[in-house]
């Protein structure tokens, strides 16, 4: 079975530009979460989507937005990129059973974003 | 801010020995904890989880212990192998929708 897939693998952008990252969850999983991992730190929660609705948002500015599609795939958008947005962006999927969405989250390989 | 942290940022262990990785958490309402392993250039890989109504859970070569009295979590790896070299994160469920991660412990296995 395919795991969580993310695209692209690597991305280089210039300050002020916009970026879109994509994620496909494990088949059958209805919940997708996005995390930012800066080098040397643990992942930080950005968003969670369940059944195409935003269920949670972390401490990130409005430049960060996301959405989930009917096939449960998801996109993360970041506008007006800053140097500090350089990080590994991780997508995680989970079944979303019993209303507890965060249990048993499985991560993709991430997208490495470099802002110059 | 983060409510999950690790006692030591690095751990060096001899191949074949047992490893113990520790984690302290501050949110007494957390009801679910996960250990992840992250190798260089990869996303976190699920190792084992434990719910707050349990004290111990065993997997293949790994054991997680939860002490709710002192809000402490540990991961024990038996007969550590070179492939166990990675960064290990503990994470806790702080809300129904998100996990909070600590900074991680880098485990290096010496041959």
């Amino acid at each position: 079975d395919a795991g969580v897939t993310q695209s692209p693998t690597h991305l280089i952008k210039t300050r002020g530009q916009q970026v879109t990252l994509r994620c496909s969850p494990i088949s059958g999983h209805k919940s997708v979460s996005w995390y930012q991992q800066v080098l040397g730190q643990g992942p930080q929660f950005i968003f969670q989507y369940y059944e195409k609705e935003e269920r949670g948002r972390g401490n990130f500015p409005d430049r960060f937005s996301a959405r989930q599609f009917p096939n449960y795939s998801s996109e993360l958008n970041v506008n007006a990129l800053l140097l500090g947005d350089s990080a590994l962006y991780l997508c995680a999927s989970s079944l979303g059973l019993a209303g507890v969405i965060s249990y048993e989250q499985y991560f993709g390989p991430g997208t490495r974003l470099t802002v110059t | 801010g983060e409510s999950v942290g690790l006692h030591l940022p690095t751990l060096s262990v001899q191949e074949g020995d047992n490893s113990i990785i520790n984690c302290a958490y501050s949110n007494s309402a957390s009801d679910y904890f996960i250990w992840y392993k992250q190798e260089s250039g990869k996303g976190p890989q699920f190792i084992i989880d434990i719910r707050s109504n349990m004290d111990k859970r065993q997997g293949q070569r790994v054991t997680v212990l939860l002490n709710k009295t002192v809000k402490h979590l540990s991961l024990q790896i038996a007969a550590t192998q070179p492939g166990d070299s990675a960064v290990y994160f503990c994470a806790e469920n702080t809300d129904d929708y998100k996990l909070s991660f600590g900074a991680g412990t880098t485990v290096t296995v010496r041959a």
Side-chain angles (χ1 to χ4, degrees):
Chain A
D1 285 343
V4 178
T5 58
Q6 293 186 244
S7 63
T9 305
H10 295 89
L11 205 52
I12 299 175
K13 290 286 189 178
T14 305
R15 276 177 298 176
Q17 287 188 315
Q18 175 266 341
V19 68
T20 298
L21 311 180
R22 296 175 176 82
C23 170
S24 291
I26 292 170
S27 178
H29 285 194
K30 298 181 178 180
S31 173
V32 170
S33 299
W34 287 95
Y35 292 81
Q36 180 196 65
Q37 186 176 25
V38 173
L39 195 63
Q41 297 182 17
Q44 295 292 311
F45 173 77
I46 308 176
F47 284 111
Q48 186 181 70
Y49 278 77
Y50 176 66
E51 288 283 13
K52 301 177 287 295
E53 290 188 5
E54 181 185 304
R55 295 301 181 94
R57 172 186 284 256
N59 249 357
F60 281 81
D62 292 342
R63 299 185 295 108
F64 289 76
S65 63
R67 55 180 175 169
Q68 187 177 32
F69 299 98
N71 66 353
Y72 302 109
S73 66
S74 177
E75 286 182 352
L76 174 70
N77 296 284
V78 186
N79 293 323
L81 285 167
L82 303 174
L83 294 179
D85 295 330
S86 295
L88 180 67
Y89 288 84
L90 295 162
C91 173
S93 78
S94 62
L95 281 169
L97 293 176
V100 183
I101 303 168
S102 65
Y103 285 14
E104 298 182 23
Q105 293 193 15
Y106 295 89
F107 284 82
T111 293
R112 173 71 63 187
L113 172 65
T114 301
V115 182
T116 62
Chain B
E2 295 180 355
S3 62
V4 176
L6 289 165
H7 290 307
L8 292 173
T10 61
L11 176 67
S12 180
V13 61
Q14 186 69 38
E15 181 179 356
D17 287 351
N18 297 333
S19 302
I20 299 176
I21 306 167
N22 295 305
C23 176
Y25 65 94
S26 60
N27 190 342
S28 57
S30 295
D31 61 353
Y32 177 68
F33 305 87
I34 310 178
W35 281 100
Y36 285 95
K37 171 187 179 184
Q38 188 173 26
E39 297 174 285
S40 181
K42 298 183 179 180
Q45 176 188 356
F46 179 94
I47 302 174
I48 191 168
D49 59 1
I50 187 168
R51 304 206 192 287
S52 60
N53 60 354
M54 302 172 67
D55 297 323
K56 179 180 179 179
R57 190 165 188 222
Q58 288 183 293
Q60 187 176 10
R61 280 202 308 119
V62 295
T63 301
V64 56
L65 299 177
L66 176 62
N67 185 330
K68 295 180 287 294
T69 302
V70 294
K71 290 186 281 189
H72 182 268
L73 191 70
S74 69
L75 177 70
Q76 300 177 4
I77 305 173
T80 311
Q81 303 169 357
D84 294 327
S85 293
V87 180
Y88 289 80
F89 295 97
C90 65
E92 65 176 322
N93 175 65
T94 55
D95 289 289
D96 282 348
Y97 57 85
K98 72 176 184 180
L99 294 175
S100 292
F101 286 79
T105 292
T106 300
V107 173
T108 302
V109 180
R110 305 188 307 272

